[in-house]
């Protein structure tokens, strides 16, 4: 039996590794999902085989309730709400780690981690770390969900001495973990739980909405490490492997996101960066400047006479669900002999890969979708850059204004194109609260309106 379980867990682990490999590219993401589903199904069946029959009734009830809720959410959720859904899932992983660690602490004999009435030293260490990471992940993910859902302001919520308070709380947690390991005191354990719940709120609240892609990937990493620590407590090798995979991949993704935004990973972990004052000043200074406004017919004429076009999608496209109308417009341009490609910034949208998922949903060819490093140099030789709902990732202020909150962030060089067509609902700023200098450039034409309707009108005008 032991050999069978070990072999099944090994196969599941390999499936999870193959899933991560597949999800690294839109072209192989579907197969990656199937590997993940297969690995998880095998892992669940194997674990149920280990448990036996005495608890199957309660487990079946839990699976039925959870599965029903999951199916309902999956069918109702919109693509624009995926980031907050991911944040909510991370919170559940963190909470599960806290609950499992608490159950093990209260009934160690049931988990086989107690000797002569005392929990093993290694288990106390694993338990302390797991519950700390899980509690921070739970409360921090709730804040991220609230910011993305609009329940809490997306602006950084900064208070005086916040870093000193966070440092003091961090020292309390370290002291409580040491006390737990040395004395097995219940007060120390619950102190870790309570302080880490508070710390999760205080770490994420000062982070602005524009930096949420980094926060989501960071919380993804936290949830993985919490799961790995829980695996050590339960002595489950597959949970350790899975948690380590999620934790490591989330940490790598956080680094990529920070590089894409010119942020320090330590600033993200410690909580908060950016300046609302700089954003407000930038917005105020730009209020009275002239812009060029065009119609769908004007834009269609420019697009049809271009030889090369680069599409730059952003969160505005996601909100309007314009990806299918955009694909229809692009098909007409290609039929007219125009070369069309898509440029994706690493942090476009509100989570990593958000734009890639939307374009894949509209069956946009993978070869047409290029990352910032692959296409940025081509804007200077491009006739038209078509920006649809992207703000911060195209803002030249990131290079030119040291006072801007987004200064230093790598951006797509759309202003170098001969003509820029910018689709926006209004002159409202991006998620960072910074006015986009691109809209005031002489080669930029604004196309105001819903992104989906604009693309549909452009497609009709191209036909005519």
């Amino acid at each position: 039996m032991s050999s069978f379980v070990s072999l099944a867990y090994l196969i599941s682990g390999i499936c999870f590794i193959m899933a991560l490999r597949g999800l690294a590219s839109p072209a192989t993401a579907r197969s990656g999902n199937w590997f993940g589903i297969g690995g998880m199904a095998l892992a669940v069946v194997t674990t149920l085989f280990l448990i036996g029959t005495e608890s199957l009734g309660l487990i079946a009830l839990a699976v039925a309730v959870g599965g029903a809720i999951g199916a309902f959410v999956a069918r109702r959720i919109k693509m624009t709400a995926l980031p907050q859904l991911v944040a909510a899932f991370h919170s559940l992983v963190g909470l599960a780690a806290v609950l499992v660690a608490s159950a093990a602490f209260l009934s160690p004999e049931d988990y086989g981690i107690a000797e002569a009435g005392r929990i093993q030293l290694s288990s106390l260490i694993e338990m302390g770390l797991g519950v700390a990471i899980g509690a921070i992940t739970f409360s921090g993910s709730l804040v991220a969900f609230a910011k993305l859902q609009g329940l809490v302001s997306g602006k950084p919520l900064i208070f005086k001495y916040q870093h000193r308070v966070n440092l003091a709380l961090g020292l309390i947690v370290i002291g409580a973990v040491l006390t737990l390991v040395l004395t097995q005191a219940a007060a120390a354990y619950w102190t870790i739980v309570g302080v880490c719940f508070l710390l999760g709120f205080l770490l994420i609240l000062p982070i602005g909405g524009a930096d949420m892609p980094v926060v989501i990937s960071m919380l993804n990493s936290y949830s993985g490490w919490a799961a790995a620590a829980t695996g050590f407590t339960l002595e489950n090798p597959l949970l350790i492997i899975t948690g380590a995979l999620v934790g490591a991949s989330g940490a790598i993704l956080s680094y990529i996101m920070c590089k894409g935004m010119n942020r320090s990973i330590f600033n993200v972990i410690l909580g908060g960066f950016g300046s609302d004052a700089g954003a407000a000043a930038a917005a105020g200074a730009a209020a009275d400047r002239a812009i060029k406004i065009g119609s769908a017919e004007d834009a269609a004429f420019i697009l049809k006479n271009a030889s090369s076009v680069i599409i730059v999608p952003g969160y505005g496209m996601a909100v309007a669900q314009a990806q299918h109308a955009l694909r229809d417009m692009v098909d007409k341009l290609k039929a007219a002999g125009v070369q069309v490609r898509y440029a994706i910034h690493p942090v476009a949208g509100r989570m990593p890969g958000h734009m890639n998922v939307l374009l894949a949903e509209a069956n946009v060819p993978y070869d047409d979708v290029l990352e910032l490093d692959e296409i940025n140099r081509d804007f200077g030789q491009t006739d038209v850059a078509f920006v649809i709902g992207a703000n911060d990732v195209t803002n030249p202020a990131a290079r030119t204004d040291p006072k801007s909150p987004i200064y230093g962030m790598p951006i797509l060089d759309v202003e170098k194109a001969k003509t820029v067509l910018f689709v926006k609902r209004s002159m409202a700023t991006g998620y960072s609260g910074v006015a986009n200098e691109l809209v005031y450039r002489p080669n930029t034409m604004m196309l105001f309106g819903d992104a989906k309707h604009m693309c549909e009108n452009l497609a009709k005008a191209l036909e005519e």
Side-chain angles (χ1 to χ4, degrees):
M1 181 183 300
S2 176
S3 299
F4 165 75
V5 171
S6 298
L7 178 61
Y9 277 169
L10 176 62
I11 295 173
S12 295
I14 293 173
C15 286
F16 293 144
I17 294 172
M18 295 300 294
L20 281 178
R21 181 182 179 185
L23 292 171
S25 168
T28 57
R30 190 180 298 273
S31 62
N33 274 327
W34 281 113
F35 272 115
I37 292 170
M40 184 56 68
L42 179 59
V44 170
V45 171
T46 304
T47 304
L48 291 176
F49 178 77
L50 279 175
I51 293 174
T53 60
E54 63 274 9
S55 301
L56 287 181
L58 286 175
I59 293 174
L61 177 62
V63 169
V65 173
I69 295 173
F72 176 78
V73 172
R75 291 180 66 88
R76 295 291 299 272
I77 197 73
K78 296 180 180 179
M79 292 297 292
T80 51
L82 276 181
Q84 46 265 54
L85 177 66
V86 171
F89 283 166
H90 289 163
S91 73
L92 295 178
V93 175
L95 182 60
V98 173
L99 293 177
V100 171
S102 299
F105 181 75
L106 295 173
S107 302
E109 298 82 5
D110 295 334
Y111 291 84
I113 58 175
E115 295 177 349
R118 178 169 177 79
I119 300 176
Q120 300 170 10
L121 179 63
S122 59
S123 296
L124 284 171
I125 296 173
E126 297 153 5
M127 202 178 297
L129 293 176
V131 75
I133 299 172
I136 292 174
T137 303
F138 172 68
S139 54
S141 297
L142 287 181
V143 175
F145 170 82
K147 281 178 173 278
L148 292 169
Q149 189 67 18
L151 303 177
V152 176
S153 172
K155 297 180 180 180
L157 301 177
I158 300 172
F159 59 91
K160 193 174 183 180
Y161 304 125
Q162 69 176 46
H163 293 299
R164 295 181 185 180
V165 172
N166 290 346
L167 176 60
L169 292 175
L171 293 175
I172 291 174
V173 171
I174 293 173
V177 171
L178 292 175
T179 303
L180 175 68
V181 171
L182 295 175
T183 68
Q184 196 178 319
Y189 178 83
W190 296 114
T191 297
I192 297 171
V193 175
V195 173
C196 286
F197 275 143
L198 177 61
L199 196 55
F201 285 109
L202 296 180
L203 286 174
I204 307 302
L205 279 172
I207 299 178
D211 300 311
M212 277 299 117
V214 181
V215 173
I216 290 176
S217 60
M218 180 187 67
L219 291 171
N220 178 53
S221 179
Y222 286 179
S223 67
W225 298 125
T230 303
F232 279 107
T233 301
L234 299 177
E235 297 182 350
N236 187 305
L238 183 61
L239 191 54
I240 297 171
I241 294 171
T242 306
L245 286 172
V246 174
S249 60
I252 294 171
L253 185 58
S254 297
Y255 172 76
I256 295 173
M257 293 296 101
C258 286
K259 184 178 178 182
M261 300 181 70
N262 194 37
R263 303 302 197 194
S264 166
I265 186 66
F266 296 105
N267 284 341
V268 178
I269 294 173
L270 294 175
F273 39 73
S275 169
D276 283 339
D288 300 325
R289 296 167 61 182
I291 60 172
K292 186 190 302 180
I293 303 175
S295 64
E297 290 73 20
D298 299 328
F301 178 81
I302 294 172
L303 287 167
K304 198 165 187 178
N305 286 278
S307 61
S308 60
V309 174
I310 297 179
I311 311 287
V312 181
Y315 187 67
M317 183 190 77
V319 171
Q321 289 289 283
Q323 61 269 28
H324 296 284
L326 177 65
R327 167 67 193 272
D328 184 46
M329 183 195 84
V330 168
D331 286 344
K332 289 179 170 54
L333 286 174
K334 287 184 175 181
V338 181
Q339 180 194 35
V340 183
R341 293 172 295 169
Y342 299 79
I344 306 296
H345 192 282
V347 294
R350 291 190 180 178
M351 66 178 290
H354 198 179
M355 294 301 105
N356 301 77
V357 171
L358 291 174
L359 294 177
E361 185 188 25
N363 295 317
V364 172
Y366 300 129
D367 293 340
D368 291 350
V369 182
L370 303 174
E371 302 295 329
L372 179 146
D373 293 337
E374 299 173 300
I375 199 170
N376 224 17
R377 66 177 66 90
D378 295 345
F379 279 101
Q381 291 79 44
T382 299
D383 293 322
V384 179
F386 186 83
V387 182
I388 176 168
N391 269 295
D392 299 326
V393 298
T394 64
N395 193 343
R399 282 197 305 266
T400 60
D401 185 5
K403 296 181 181 180
S404 173
I406 63 171
Y407 180 71
M409 183 180 82
I411 62 167
L412 291 162
D413 296 332
V414 294
E415 79 275 10
K416 294 182 180 179
K418 295 177 183 177
T419 301
V420 177
L421 300 176
F422 202 134
V423 180
K424 278 176 63 73
R425 285 180 179 270
S426 67
M427 287 295 290
T429 60
Y431 205 48
S432 67
V434 182
N436 194 342
E437 286 293 314
L438 179 65
V439 304
Y440 305 104
R441 296 298 172 92
N443 61 330
T444 299
M445 176 184 290
M446 300 301 299
L447 304 173
F448 289 115
D450 177 82
K452 181 179 180 180
H453 294 160
M454 182 59 68
C455 289
E456 290 172 345
N457 292 336
L458 279 167
K460 293 178 182 177
L462 288 170
E463 284 182 345
E464 296 171 358

